Amino acid sequence: MHVVITGVSRGIGHALAERYRAAGHEVTGTARAAEGAVPLDVTQPDQFPALAEAVGTKPVDLLICNAGIYPDKGQSLASGFNAETWADAMATNVTGVFLTVQTLLTGLQQAKNAKIAIISSRLGSDELAAGGSYCYRASKAAALNLGRNLAVDLKELDIAVGIYHPGWVRTDMGGEKGDVSVDDSADGLVTEFDRLSLETTGSFRTWDGRDLPF
């Protein structure tokens, strides 16, 4: 199996890449800067041809759109959330996902029973809105919506799409107070990716197998 993962330099992306390699799968990882990874800043459209070249004619059995940022953590409504922060969140967490899928669509079509896993967040759910983190929440809601719509269009191409909440993970992004370890999150996500099929395409699930409201 050939697995492509964006954002492998650290955290969940790094852990997922380690697991798939240990299982004997071929992994193509991307990062803005990381040894052994395809250089890719998902906010820069002119860098995607390098990803296409790195993958070449290989089928892509599983694409994991993991690269993401949380740029507005702790910002206040009165003084935070400037236009640049909004633009960065959307470019990374939404447009970057779309451009990755678009770039690798041919490889996904060449694989049998290909899958796309989009890392979103429960903070993007309409029914779990708790205020604050407006840029992050909005971008993750958009990533969820993107995944749901891709699931409709790609089903006829036999490509399944799942959207996932990795948990509040103890990473540089999640912080030390997170209630899920990187290892537990990555193990759970691998299990959930294995379960994804055309029958469950468009689903929004947690790392530990629970359905989430949209």
Side-chain angles (χ1 to χ4, degrees), residues 108-157:
L108 289 160
Q109 290 180 260
Q110 290 174 345
K112 184 178 180 180
N113 301 319
K115 303 178 183 183
I116 299 171
I118 297 173
I119 304 301
S120 180
S121 170
R122 68 191 299 273
L123 272 67
S125 168
D126 286 351
E127 296 187 28
L128 298 172
S133 299
Y134 300 108
C135 303
Y136 182 75
R137 286 180 183 276
S139 67
K140 288 302 186 179
L144 168 58
N145 184 275
L146 172 63
R148 294 273 291 167
N149 282 281
L150 284 170
V152 173
D153 289 333
L154 295 180
K155 188 172 184 178
E156 64 185 32
L157 300 179

Side-chain angles (χ1 to χ4, degrees), residues 33-46:
E35 184 176 354
V38 177
L40 177 66
D41 180 340
V42 298
T43 70
Q44 302 300 313
D46 61 350

